[in-house]
């Protein structure tokens, strides 16, 4: 039986943390952070990291694991997440993945073998990317469907990278992607729950969150990063931190820097939503304006998924 993993995704400030705790309590879950910045120590406020009181006794993983000067790659995320899933399964609990770093989460789902992809071919990839640009993802997917319908049925039309990889495999080996044994082990059965709300409400919540972060000491965290290397640090380019560096250098006033944090956070939320909508198969809900109704739907969806065997 394939191990089930519940994933909660969505833009910043939409309620992922609260939902994850509620569902983890209900379904005996333990939570892995799917956020690329929460892995760093001493960056708590600007990353909206859950605090011990908010955890309500639920075990959390992938928080505060590395220092601000250490690099953290997608490959690192995949390997550490798989180890965390193993630990959670050993606890007889359900693994939860909660976060907004879409590329990391998608890479885990697709089980990319970074640095080990013997099928990658720049010229082929460029050819297919150009084809998709001129003809659209649907036409690219149709091309795969003609040669390997089994693979095509498992890959969303919006997942251009995965479609191109499948086409590369066929072109390089003459074998169907669906028949390969090393492209994806299928070791996890994912249910992906996405949270979103009306854009005007989401942007208001983001602005309010930034104000709250400022009152909690965000400026001190940003100064800590700045004084230890700022943009030169692997962690130093994060939204909510880099915007304050001009203030510390005397080149901008504090109010304009705060406004820039809000603006960049709103833009990031828009990019997050675009990624999740185009790259992943997500069940969307709005807990901000329809909490009672949608929370009940989520619980029923999870219950049904838990009963299914794969």
């Amino acid at each position: 039986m394939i191990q089930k993993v519940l994933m909660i995704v969505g833009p910043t400030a939409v309620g992922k943390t609260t939902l994850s705790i509620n569902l983890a309590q209900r379904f005996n879950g333990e939570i892995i952070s799917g956020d690329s910045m929460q892995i760093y120590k001493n960056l708590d406020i600007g990353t909206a990291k859950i605090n011990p009181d908010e955890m309500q006794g639920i075990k959390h993983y992938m928080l505060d694991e590395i220092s601000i000067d250490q690099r953290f790659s997608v490959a690192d995320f995949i390997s550490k997440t798989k180890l965390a899933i193993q630990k959670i399964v050993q606890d007889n609990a359900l693994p939860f993945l909660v976060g907004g770093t879409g590329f990391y989460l998608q890479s885990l789902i697709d089980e990319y073998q970074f640095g080990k992809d013997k099928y990658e071919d720049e010229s082929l990839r460029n050819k297919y990317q150009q084809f998709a640009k001129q003809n659209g993802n649907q036409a690219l997917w149709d091309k795969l469907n003609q040669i390997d319908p089994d693979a095509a049925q498992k890959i969303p039309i919006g997942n251009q990278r995965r479609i191109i990889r499948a086409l590369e495999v066929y072109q390089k080996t003459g074998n169907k992607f669906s028949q390969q044994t090393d492209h994806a082990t299928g070791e996890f059965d994912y249910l992906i729950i996405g949270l979103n709300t009306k854009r005007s409400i989401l942007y208001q919540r983001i602005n309010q969150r930034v104000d709250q972060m400022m009152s909690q000491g965000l400026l001190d965290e940003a100064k800590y990063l700045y004084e230890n290397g700022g943009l030169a640090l692997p962690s130093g380019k994060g939204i909510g931190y880099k915007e304050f560096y001009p203030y510390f250098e005397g080149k901008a006033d504090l109010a304009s820097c705060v406004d820039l944090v809000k603006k960049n956070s709103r833009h990031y939320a828009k990019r997050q939503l675009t990624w999740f909508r185009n790259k992943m198969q997500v069940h969307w809900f709005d807990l901000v304006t329809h909490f009672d109704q949608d929370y009940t739907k989520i619980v029923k969806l999870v219950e049904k998924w838990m009963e299914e065997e794969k």
Side-chain angles (χ1 to χ4, degrees):
M1 185 173 172
I2 302 175
Q3 174 59 49
K4 292 182 180 294
V5 176
L6 180 62
M7 196 176 286
I8 300 175
V9 304
T12 184
V14 81
K16 297 186 297 293
T17 298
T18 300
L19 176 63
S20 69
I21 294 297
N22 288 342
L23 292 182
Q25 291 174 328
R26 189 175 190 118
F27 295 100
N28 186 33
E30 296 181 4
I31 297 170
I32 304 166
S33 169
D35 184 289
S36 62
M37 289 292 289
Q38 291 183 352
I39 193 79
Y40 290 106
K41 298 175 182 176
N42 301 317
L43 301 184
D44 302 330
I45 300 168
T47 64
K49 193 179 296 176
I50 188 171
N51 64 48
D53 289 338
E54 292 170 331
M55 291 180 186
Q56 297 186 44
I58 301 296
K59 281 188 182 180
H60 280 67
Y61 300 80
M62 303 278 278
L63 300 174
D64 302 317
E65 292 208 3
I66 61 176
S67 60
I68 56 174
D69 60 346
Q70 289 181 270
R71 297 201 175 276
F72 185 64
S73 68
V74 183
D76 293 330
F77 173 78
I78 292 173
S79 62
K80 284 180 173 291
T81 297
K82 288 189 173 184
L83 286 174
I85 290 173
Q86 290 178 9
K87 292 179 181 177
I88 293 171
V89 172
Q90 289 171 0
D91 287 345
N92 294 314
L94 176 65
F96 281 50
L97 256 170
V98 181
T101 307
F103 178 56
Y104 279 24
L105 299 172
Q106 183 64 40
S107 298
L108 177 70
I109 292 171
D110 284 351
E111 301 180 63
Y112 294 139
Q113 300 297 312
F114 290 92
K116 301 176 183 179
D117 191 346
K118 63 186 179 184
Y119 302 120
E120 285 189 355
D121 184 311
E122 285 293 337
S123 61
L124 269 177
R125 186 179 304 112
N126 291 338
K127 182 184 85 169
Y128 287 127
Q129 286 174 342
Q130 190 63 31
F131 177 86
K133 187 175 182 180
Q134 294 175 349
N135 302 281
N137 280 352
Q138 178 68 58
L140 184 71
W141 184 90
D142 289 342
K143 189 181 284 285
L144 175 62
N145 193 42
Q146 290 174 1
I147 62 173
D148 190 352
D150 289 338
Q153 293 304 314
K154 296 179 180 178
I155 303 176
I157 292 171
N159 194 341
Q160 183 187 113
R161 178 172 180 169
R162 190 71 166 162
I163 295 170
I164 290 176
R165 179 182 165 94
L167 289 167
E168 283 178 336
V169 170
Y170 184 76
Q171 290 291 320
K172 295 279 285 185
T173 70
N175 297 319
K176 293 180 179 180
F177 188 61
S178 58
Q179 296 173 342
Q180 302 297 306
T181 57
D182 63 343
H183 75 274
T185 62
E187 60 185 304
F188 302 127
D189 171 19
Y190 295 99
L191 173 65
I192 309 176
I193 294 171
L195 297 184
N196 191 21
T197 190
K198 295 178 182 178
R199 181 165 295 184
S200 60
I201 296 175
L202 176 62
Y203 285 179
Q204 181 183 24
R205 288 169 66 90
I206 289 172
N207 292 341
Q208 290 173 343
R209 170 175 279 189
V210 173
D211 289 336
Q212 182 181 20
M213 286 177 171
M214 287 299 295
S215 68
Q216 292 172 336
L218 175 60
L219 191 62
D220 290 335
E221 276 191 2
K223 190 172 184 180
Y224 163 73
L225 264 184
Y226 174 76
E227 291 178 342
N228 283 278
L231 291 175
L233 294 170
S235 58
K237 300 178 180 65
I239 295 173
Y241 297 114
K242 63 182 180 180
E243 293 85 358
F244 291 106
Y245 301 162
Y247 171 71
F248 300 135
E249 295 170 352
K251 297 177 180 178
D253 63 89
L254 183 58
S256 64
C257 293
V258 172
D259 286 341
L260 187 57
V261 172
K262 293 177 180 179
K263 178 181 176 181
N264 288 346
S265 297
R266 294 193 301 267
H267 288 173
Y268 178 56
K270 186 177 179 180
R271 294 197 302 274
Q272 286 175 299
L273 283 168
T274 299
W275 179 281
F276 291 128
R277 284 169 174 160
N278 293 340
K279 304 284 188 179
M280 301 170 70
Q281 295 176 301
V282 180
H283 301 270
W284 289 102
F285 300 93
D286 182 350
L287 294 181
V288 177
T289 60
H290 303 97
F291 181 85
D292 292 337
Q293 178 183 346
D294 277 15
Y295 181 72
T296 300
K297 290 180 180 178
I298 291 171
V299 169
K300 289 181 178 178
L301 179 66
V302 176
E303 288 174 342
K304 181 181 178 182
W305 170 69
M306 291 290 288
E307 292 171 358
E308 296 171 351
E309 291 188 9
K310 285 193 175 182

